[in-house]
Amino acid sequence: MGAKAAKDPVPRASIPINPVFNWSVGNWMENFYDGMKEGKILGSKCPQCGRVFLPPRMICERCFAKADEWVELPATGTVQACTRASVKVADNGDLVDLESPEIIAMVKHDGADTCIAARLEGDDASVGMRVEAVLNPDAENVLDLLAAYRPLG
Ligand SMILES: [Zn+2]
């Protein structure tokens, strides 16, 4: 058998596309975003076990009950984990280098049982650090309503 150059059996074409996606965030996240537009941080509560979810979840993963009680949470919380980011996702979906690294923190708000992630102001962070949410109620993109966390004290 003679050696034969491998040939790709599937013809291929490169087509440049730049899709923009718009999708429903769902009723629970919509309620969460509507709350932040009014300066409120709303979590959902499981009526069976009492766990409070922030960001809100529709179903409690422990009880499988519908977490349809809403509670307003304080803006304060505690850093549970953090990392330093050197890139971010631009509006067009591309990864772009940040001019200076940012800290992304997982924060458990006082009264909540789960964590939410956002940028932490400053360049110092540690687990256990007390922080406060900085809301931007006038943000055009709902993802920017929770602008950042700010260290307390
Ligand atoms: Zn539950």
Short mmCIF file of all heavy atoms in Angstrom, two decimals, residues 32-42 54 72-76 109 116 118-119 121 132-139 141-150:
data_model
loop_
_atom_site.label_atom_id
_atom_site.label_comp_id
_atom_site.label_asym_id
_atom_site.label_seq_id
_atom_site.Cartn_x
_atom_site.Cartn_y
_atom_site.Cartn_z
N PHE A 32 -34.43 40.48 40.82
CA PHE A 32 -33.17 40.90 41.44
C PHE A 32 -32.67 42.20 40.82
O PHE A 32 -32.32 43.16 41.52
CB PHE A 32 -32.16 39.77 41.26
CG PHE A 32 -30.75 40.07 41.69
CD1 PHE A 32 -30.46 40.42 42.99
CD2 PHE A 32 -29.71 39.94 40.78
CE1 PHE A 32 -29.15 40.67 43.38
CE2 PHE A 32 -28.40 40.18 41.16
CZ PHE A 32 -28.13 40.55 42.46
N TYR A 33 -32.66 42.26 39.48
CA TYR A 33 -32.19 43.47 38.79
C TYR A 33 -33.14 44.64 39.04
O TYR A 33 -32.70 45.78 39.24
CB TYR A 33 -32.04 43.21 37.29
CG TYR A 33 -30.90 42.26 36.97
CD1 TYR A 33 -31.07 41.21 36.07
CD2 TYR A 33 -29.65 42.42 37.55
CE1 TYR A 33 -30.03 40.34 35.77
CE2 TYR A 33 -28.61 41.56 37.26
CZ TYR A 33 -28.80 40.52 36.37
OH TYR A 33 -27.77 39.68 36.09
N ASP A 34 -34.46 44.40 39.02
CA ASP A 34 -35.41 45.48 39.29
C ASP A 34 -35.18 46.05 40.69
O ASP A 34 -35.29 47.26 40.90
CB ASP A 34 -36.86 44.98 39.16
CG ASP A 34 -37.26 44.80 37.70
OD1 ASP A 34 -36.53 45.27 36.81
OD2 ASP A 34 -38.31 44.17 37.46
N GLY A 35 -34.87 45.18 41.65
CA GLY A 35 -34.58 45.64 43.01
C GLY A 35 -33.38 46.56 43.04
O GLY A 35 -33.41 47.62 43.67
N MET A 36 -32.32 46.18 42.33
CA MET A 36 -31.10 47.01 42.35
C MET A 36 -31.35 48.36 41.68
O MET A 36 -30.72 49.35 42.05
CB MET A 36 -29.93 46.27 41.69
CG MET A 36 -29.35 45.21 42.61
SD MET A 36 -27.73 44.62 42.10
CE MET A 36 -28.17 43.67 40.66
N LYS A 37 -32.26 48.40 40.70
CA LYS A 37 -32.59 49.70 40.08
C LYS A 37 -33.23 50.63 41.10
O LYS A 37 -33.24 51.85 40.92
CB LYS A 37 -33.53 49.48 38.89
CG LYS A 37 -32.85 48.84 37.70
CD LYS A 37 -33.86 48.52 36.60
CE LYS A 37 -33.19 47.74 35.49
NZ LYS A 37 -34.18 47.24 34.50
N GLU A 38 -33.80 50.07 42.19
CA GLU A 38 -34.38 50.87 43.27
C GLU A 38 -33.46 50.91 44.49
O GLU A 38 -33.89 51.28 45.59
CB GLU A 38 -35.75 50.28 43.67
CG GLU A 38 -36.77 50.32 42.55
CD GLU A 38 -38.06 49.58 42.90
OE1 GLU A 38 -38.21 49.13 44.05
OE2 GLU A 38 -38.89 49.45 42.00
N GLY A 39 -32.21 50.44 44.30
CA GLY A 39 -31.25 50.49 45.38
C GLY A 39 -31.39 49.37 46.40
O GLY A 39 -30.83 49.46 47.49
N LYS A 40 -32.16 48.31 46.05
CA LYS A 40 -32.38 47.21 46.99
C LYS A 40 -31.65 45.95 46.51
O LYS A 40 -31.57 45.70 45.31
CB LYS A 40 -33.87 46.89 47.09
CG LYS A 40 -34.72 47.99 47.64
CD LYS A 40 -36.18 47.58 47.60
CE LYS A 40 -37.09 48.72 48.02
NZ LYS A 40 -38.50 48.37 47.81
N ILE A 41 -31.19 45.17 47.47
CA ILE A 41 -30.56 43.90 47.15
C ILE A 41 -31.53 42.81 47.63
O ILE A 41 -31.75 42.64 48.82
CB ILE A 41 -29.19 43.77 47.83
CG1 ILE A 41 -28.27 44.86 47.27
CG2 ILE A 41 -28.61 42.38 47.62
CD1 ILE A 41 -26.96 45.00 47.98
N LEU A 42 -32.12 42.10 46.66
CA LEU A 42 -33.17 41.12 46.97
C LEU A 42 -32.66 39.71 46.77
O LEU A 42 -32.13 39.36 45.71
CB LEU A 42 -34.39 41.35 46.07
CG LEU A 42 -35.07 42.72 46.19
CD1 LEU A 42 -36.19 42.83 45.15
CD2 LEU A 42 -35.63 42.90 47.60
N LEU A 54 -28.54 34.47 47.24
CA LEU A 54 -28.14 35.70 46.57
C LEU A 54 -26.91 35.38 45.73
O LEU A 54 -25.86 35.06 46.30
CB LEU A 54 -27.82 36.82 47.57
CG LEU A 54 -27.49 38.16 46.89
CD1 LEU A 54 -28.74 38.76 46.31
CD2 LEU A 54 -26.83 39.10 47.85
N GLU A 72 -35.15 41.47 51.51
CA GLU A 72 -34.18 42.53 51.22
C GLU A 72 -32.99 42.33 52.13
O GLU A 72 -33.13 42.21 53.36
CB GLU A 72 -34.81 43.91 51.43
CG GLU A 72 -33.84 45.02 51.02
CD GLU A 72 -34.47 46.41 51.08
OE1 GLU A 72 -35.69 46.52 51.27
OE2 GLU A 72 -33.71 47.39 50.93
N LEU A 73 -31.81 42.27 51.54
CA LEU A 73 -30.58 42.03 52.29
C LEU A 73 -29.80 43.32 52.44
O LEU A 73 -29.89 44.22 51.61
CB LEU A 73 -29.74 40.98 51.57
CG LEU A 73 -30.38 39.59 51.52
CD1 LEU A 73 -29.68 38.71 50.50
CD2 LEU A 73 -30.33 38.95 52.90
N PRO A 74 -28.99 43.41 53.51
CA PRO A 74 -28.14 44.59 53.66
C PRO A 74 -27.06 44.60 52.58
O PRO A 74 -26.76 43.57 51.99
CB PRO A 74 -27.53 44.42 55.05
CG PRO A 74 -27.61 42.96 55.33
CD PRO A 74 -28.81 42.45 54.60
N ALA A 75 -26.48 45.77 52.35
CA ALA A 75 -25.43 45.89 51.33
C ALA A 75 -24.11 45.31 51.82
O ALA A 75 -23.18 45.14 51.03
CB ALA A 75 -25.24 47.36 50.96
N THR A 76 -24.03 44.99 53.09
CA THR A 76 -22.77 44.53 53.67
C THR A 76 -22.64 43.02 53.60
O THR A 76 -23.62 42.27 53.60
CB THR A 76 -22.67 44.97 55.14
OG1 THR A 76 -23.87 44.57 55.81
CG2 THR A 76 -22.51 46.47 55.24
N HIS A 109 -23.38 38.05 51.47
CA HIS A 109 -24.02 39.17 52.16
C HIS A 109 -24.52 38.72 53.53
O HIS A 109 -24.89 37.54 53.72
CB HIS A 109 -25.21 39.68 51.34
CG HIS A 109 -24.80 40.64 50.26
ND1 HIS A 109 -25.19 41.95 50.25
CD2 HIS A 109 -24.00 40.47 49.17
CE1 HIS A 109 -24.67 42.55 49.20
NE2 HIS A 109 -23.94 41.67 48.52
N ILE A 116 -22.11 35.83 45.88
CA ILE A 116 -22.25 36.50 44.60
C ILE A 116 -20.89 37.10 44.26
O ILE A 116 -20.15 37.53 45.15
CB ILE A 116 -23.37 37.57 44.68
CG1 ILE A 116 -23.63 38.18 43.31
CG2 ILE A 116 -23.07 38.63 45.73
CD1 ILE A 116 -24.93 38.99 43.29
N ALA A 118 -18.33 39.78 42.24
CA ALA A 118 -18.21 41.10 41.61
C ALA A 118 -16.80 41.63 41.85
O ALA A 118 -16.05 41.09 42.67
CB ALA A 118 -19.25 42.07 42.18
N ARG A 119 -16.49 42.70 41.15
CA ARG A 119 -15.19 43.35 41.31
C ARG A 119 -15.11 43.98 42.70
O ARG A 119 -16.10 44.49 43.22
CB ARG A 119 -15.04 44.43 40.24
CG ARG A 119 -13.69 45.13 40.22
CD ARG A 119 -13.62 46.12 39.05
NE ARG A 119 -14.60 47.20 39.19
CZ ARG A 119 -14.42 48.30 39.93
NH1 ARG A 119 -13.30 48.45 40.61
NH2 ARG A 119 -15.35 49.23 40.00
N GLU A 121 -13.20 46.92 44.83
CA GLU A 121 -12.38 48.13 44.67
C GLU A 121 -11.07 48.00 45.43
O GLU A 121 -11.02 47.34 46.46
CB GLU A 121 -13.16 49.36 45.17
CG GLU A 121 -14.36 49.71 44.32
CD GLU A 121 -15.12 50.93 44.84
OE1 GLU A 121 -14.80 51.42 45.95
OE2 GLU A 121 -16.04 51.38 44.13
N GLU A 132 -18.89 46.29 51.28
CA GLU A 132 -20.22 46.86 51.06
C GLU A 132 -20.45 46.94 49.55
O GLU A 132 -19.56 47.36 48.81
CB GLU A 132 -20.27 48.25 51.68
CG GLU A 132 -21.54 49.02 51.46
CD GLU A 132 -21.48 50.40 52.11
OE1 GLU A 132 -20.45 51.10 51.96
OE2 GLU A 132 -22.46 50.76 52.76
N ALA A 133 -21.65 46.57 49.12
CA ALA A 133 -21.98 46.62 47.69
C ALA A 133 -22.12 48.06 47.24
O ALA A 133 -22.67 48.90 47.95
CB ALA A 133 -23.28 45.87 47.43
N VAL A 134 -21.59 48.34 46.04
CA VAL A 134 -21.75 49.65 45.40
C VAL A 134 -22.69 49.43 44.21
O VAL A 134 -22.33 48.75 43.25
CB VAL A 134 -20.40 50.20 44.91
CG1 VAL A 134 -20.60 51.54 44.22
CG2 VAL A 134 -19.41 50.29 46.06
N LEU A 135 -23.90 49.98 44.32
CA LEU A 135 -24.88 49.80 43.25
C LEU A 135 -24.83 50.97 42.28
O LEU A 135 -24.52 52.10 42.67
CB LEU A 135 -26.29 49.67 43.83
CG LEU A 135 -26.52 48.49 44.78
CD1 LEU A 135 -27.99 48.43 45.18
CD2 LEU A 135 -26.06 47.17 44.18
N ASN A 136 -25.13 50.68 41.03
CA ASN A 136 -25.24 51.70 39.99
C ASN A 136 -26.64 51.58 39.38
O ASN A 136 -26.80 50.96 38.32
CB ASN A 136 -24.14 51.49 38.94
CG ASN A 136 -24.22 52.52 37.84
OD1 ASN A 136 -24.92 53.52 37.95
ND2 ASN A 136 -23.50 52.27 36.77
N PRO A 137 -27.66 52.14 40.07
CA PRO A 137 -29.05 51.95 39.63
C PRO A 137 -29.35 52.47 38.23
O PRO A 137 -30.33 52.06 37.62
CB PRO A 137 -29.87 52.74 40.67
CG PRO A 137 -28.97 52.87 41.84
CD PRO A 137 -27.57 52.95 41.27
N ASP A 138 -28.49 53.34 37.70
CA ASP A 138 -28.73 53.92 36.38
C ASP A 138 -27.99 53.18 35.26
O ASP A 138 -28.00 53.63 34.11
CB ASP A 138 -28.33 55.40 36.37
CG ASP A 138 -29.14 56.21 37.37
OD1 ASP A 138 -30.35 55.93 37.51
OD2 ASP A 138 -28.57 57.11 38.01
N ALA A 139 -27.36 52.07 35.57
CA ALA A 139 -26.60 51.33 34.55
C ALA A 139 -27.51 50.90 33.40
O ALA A 139 -28.64 50.47 33.62
CB ALA A 139 -25.94 50.11 35.19
N ASN A 141 -26.73 48.42 31.22
CA ASN A 141 -26.67 46.96 31.18
C ASN A 141 -26.93 46.43 32.60
O ASN A 141 -26.26 46.85 33.54
CB ASN A 141 -25.28 46.52 30.69
CG ASN A 141 -25.18 45.03 30.47
OD1 ASN A 141 -25.88 44.24 31.10
ND2 ASN A 141 -24.29 44.64 29.58
N VAL A 142 -27.89 45.51 32.72
CA VAL A 142 -28.23 45.01 34.06
C VAL A 142 -27.03 44.37 34.76
O VAL A 142 -26.97 44.35 35.98
CB VAL A 142 -29.41 44.00 34.03
CG1 VAL A 142 -30.70 44.69 33.63
CG2 VAL A 142 -29.10 42.81 33.14
N LEU A 143 -26.07 43.89 33.97
CA LEU A 143 -24.89 43.26 34.57
C LEU A 143 -24.01 44.28 35.29
O LEU A 143 -23.14 43.92 36.06
CB LEU A 143 -24.08 42.52 33.50
CG LEU A 143 -24.82 41.38 32.81
CD1 LEU A 143 -23.94 40.76 31.73
CD2 LEU A 143 -25.26 40.32 33.81
N ASP A 144 -24.26 45.58 35.03
CA ASP A 144 -23.47 46.63 35.68
C ASP A 144 -24.19 47.26 36.87
O ASP A 144 -23.68 48.20 37.48
CB ASP A 144 -23.12 47.72 34.66
CG ASP A 144 -22.23 47.20 33.54
OD1 ASP A 144 -21.39 46.31 33.84
OD2 ASP A 144 -22.38 47.64 32.40
N LEU A 145 -25.40 46.77 37.20
CA LEU A 145 -26.14 47.34 38.34
C LEU A 145 -25.36 47.15 39.65
O LEU A 145 -25.32 48.04 40.49
CB LEU A 145 -27.53 46.70 38.47
CG LEU A 145 -28.53 47.11 37.38
CD1 LEU A 145 -29.73 46.17 37.38
CD2 LEU A 145 -28.98 48.55 37.60
N LEU A 146 -24.77 45.97 39.82
CA LEU A 146 -23.87 45.74 40.96
C LEU A 146 -22.48 46.14 40.47
O LEU A 146 -21.78 45.34 39.85
CB LEU A 146 -23.93 44.28 41.41
CG LEU A 146 -22.94 43.87 42.51
CD1 LEU A 146 -23.05 44.76 43.73
CD2 LEU A 146 -23.15 42.41 42.88
N ALA A 147 -22.11 47.40 40.72
CA ALA A 147 -20.89 47.94 40.13
C ALA A 147 -19.64 47.31 40.73
O ALA A 147 -18.69 47.01 40.00
CB ALA A 147 -20.86 49.46 40.32
N ALA A 148 -19.64 47.12 42.04
CA ALA A 148 -18.44 46.63 42.71
C ALA A 148 -18.74 46.43 44.19
O ALA A 148 -19.85 46.70 44.65
CB ALA A 148 -17.29 47.63 42.57
N TYR A 149 -17.72 45.94 44.90
CA TYR A 149 -17.74 45.94 46.37
C TYR A 149 -16.64 46.88 46.83
O TYR A 149 -15.62 47.03 46.17
CB TYR A 149 -17.53 44.53 46.94
CG TYR A 149 -18.78 43.70 46.82
CD1 TYR A 149 -18.98 42.86 45.75
CD2 TYR A 149 -19.78 43.81 47.77
CE1 TYR A 149 -20.14 42.13 45.64
CE2 TYR A 149 -20.95 43.09 47.68
CZ TYR A 149 -21.12 42.26 46.60
OH TYR A 149 -22.29 41.54 46.47
N ARG A 150 -16.89 47.51 47.96
CA ARG A 150 -15.95 48.48 48.54
C ARG A 150 -15.57 47.98 49.94
O ARG A 150 -16.46 47.66 50.74
CB ARG A 150 -16.62 49.84 48.62
CG ARG A 150 -15.81 50.93 49.29
CD ARG A 150 -16.57 52.25 49.26
NE ARG A 150 -16.82 52.68 47.87
CZ ARG A 150 -17.88 53.36 47.46
NH1 ARG A 150 -18.82 53.70 48.32
NH2 ARG A 150 -18.01 53.70 46.20
#
